[in-house]
Amino acid sequence: MLDNKTILITGGTGSFGKKFTATVLAKFPNVKKIIIYSRDEFKQFMMQNMPEFKPHLEKLRFFIGDVRDKERMMRAFEGVDIVVHAAALKQVPACEYNPFEAIKTNIHGAQNVIDCAIDRGVKKVVALSTDKACAPINLYGATKLCSDKLFIAGNAYCGDKDTRFAVVRYGNVAGSRGSVIPFFKKLVEEGAKELPITDMRMTRFWLKLEQAVEMVIESIGHMQGGELYVKKIPSMHMPELAEAIAPDLKTVEVGIRPGEKIHEQMITKEDAPNTIEYNDYYIILPQIDLKNIEYKYPNAKKVAPDFEYHSGNNTQWLSVDDMRNLIKDL
C-alpha cells in the first residue's frame, strides 16, 4: 500500500509523527521517502539522532516549515503521494488565551494543506482530529471541527483533480505528555496523600499511540474521500484509574475544569444518520453531496437512528486490573 510512495507528515516531530514514521519504516521497507515537516529545528535534530531512525536516514527528509506558510508547503509537497496532517495547536488553555494563533494554525493551516495538496497533485490526505471537535465547548475543539469540515469539503473543492481527503478522530493518548497517567504518577512520586479527580463521574477512552497510527494507515488504504474515521476502543472510569495507579491513596473531587467534558465524545446523535459501522471502527460519511465520489462499503452496517458514541456509553470497559497491566506497557 505504501511501497514506492513519498509520504509527508506535518507536525512530524510530535509523538504521533515519530511513531507513524517508525511504524511505516518497519512495516513498509519499500517506502520511497518520508518527509518530516515541522517548525522546530531542535526537535528535527533530536529525531534525526534517535536510534530507530539513524539506520533509515537515506529515506527521511527534514523540512523546516509552518503550515501557516503556504509558499513553503508548496515547495515541500512537490512529488508527494500521501500527506498526514498532524500539525496543530492542541493545548486547550493556550488556544483560549491565544485564539487568533489557534485559528491561524488549525484553520488557515488546514486550508493551506488542502490547497497545496490539490495544486501539487497529492493523491491522499489524512487529517488528524480530536474528540474535542465533536460538539465543541472550547476554542480548540471549534477550530478542529472547522478543520474537519474543510478537509471533508476539500473532496468537492478539488474539482476534476483526483486528490482525496479523509479525517481520523481520536481522543487523548494514554500515557502521552500532558495526559492524566504521568500526572498521577508524578504526584505519587512526590509523596502526595491524595489524587485529584475533577468529577467522580468522569470517563475517558483508552487509546494507545500504536492504535492511532494503525488507524491512520488503515484509513489511507480504505478511504474513498470524505470519511471521518472513529476507532472502537475501551473506556475507563477516572476514579478506577487512580486506584490502578495508587490503590492506597484516597481521591478527592476538585471540580471540572473550563472546556472539559464528563465523557469523551466521538460521534453525536446528529451524526448517526450518516454513520456506518465495521467491527473495529465507525465511519461518519459526509453530509455534503460529493458527486465526484461513488461510495462502496462492503459489509458495513448502519447504526441506529439515535446512536451516539462517547466514553460513558461504551460497550467495552477496562477493569482496575486491566489498567494496571496496560500501564506497565506504557
Side-chain angles (χ1 to χ4, degrees), residues 17 23 35 63 77 104 115-116 126 144 148 154 181 197 221 231 238 241 244 258 275 313:
T23 303
I35 301 171
F63 223 103
F77 278 34
K104 287 175 186 175
D115 284 337
C116 291
V126 175
K144 290 301 287 183
D148 293 352
I181 294 174
I197 305 289
K231 189 170 183 63
M238 293 304 293
L241 174 64
T275 301
N313 71 349

Side-chain angles (χ1 to χ4, degrees), residues 31 65 84 163 170 197 222 234 253 275 314:
V31 65
V84 177
T163 304
Y170 60 85
I197 305 289
H222 184 275
E253 190 170 79
T275 301
N314 204 350

Side-chain angles (χ1 to χ4, degrees), residues 106-123:
N106 296 353
I107 298 177
H108 297 165
Q111 184 174 350
N112 287 339
V113 171
I114 293 164
D115 284 337
C116 291
I118 293 171
D119 292 343
R120 283 300 193 192
V122 174
K123 297 301 182 184

Side-chain angles (χ1 to χ4, degrees), residues 1 3 14 22 28-29 68 70-71 95 110 147 154 190 232 239 254 277-279 290 314:
M1 178 177 63
D3 289 345
F28 301 92
R68 300 181 183 189
K70 187 175 180 180
E71 183 178 354
C95 289
S147 171
E190 293 173 348
K232 295 180 181 179
V254 296
E277 179 180 4
Y278 280 94
N279 287 337
L290 299 176
N314 204 350

Side-chain angles (χ1 to χ4, degrees), residues 15-17 19-20 170 173-174 207-214:
S15 299
F16 175 89
K19 178 62 72 173
F20 179 86
Y170 60 85
V173 175
L207 177 75
K208 294 188 291 186
L209 190 54
E210 293 84 352
Q211 292 176 297
V213 169
E214 290 166 4

Side-chain angles (χ1 to χ4, degrees), residues 67-79:
V67 293
R68 300 181 183 189
D69 188 343
K70 187 175 180 180
E71 183 178 354
R72 182 62 170 164
M73 273 206 298
M74 281 293 288
R75 178 67 66 192
F77 278 34
E78 187 171 358

Side-chain angles (χ1 to χ4, degrees), residues 2 47 95 98 133 154 169 173 176 178 207 223 253 259 312:
L2 301 181
M47 185 172 175
C95 289
N98 303 278
R169 177 180 290 170
V173 175
S176 63
L207 177 75
M223 63 180 281
E253 190 170 79

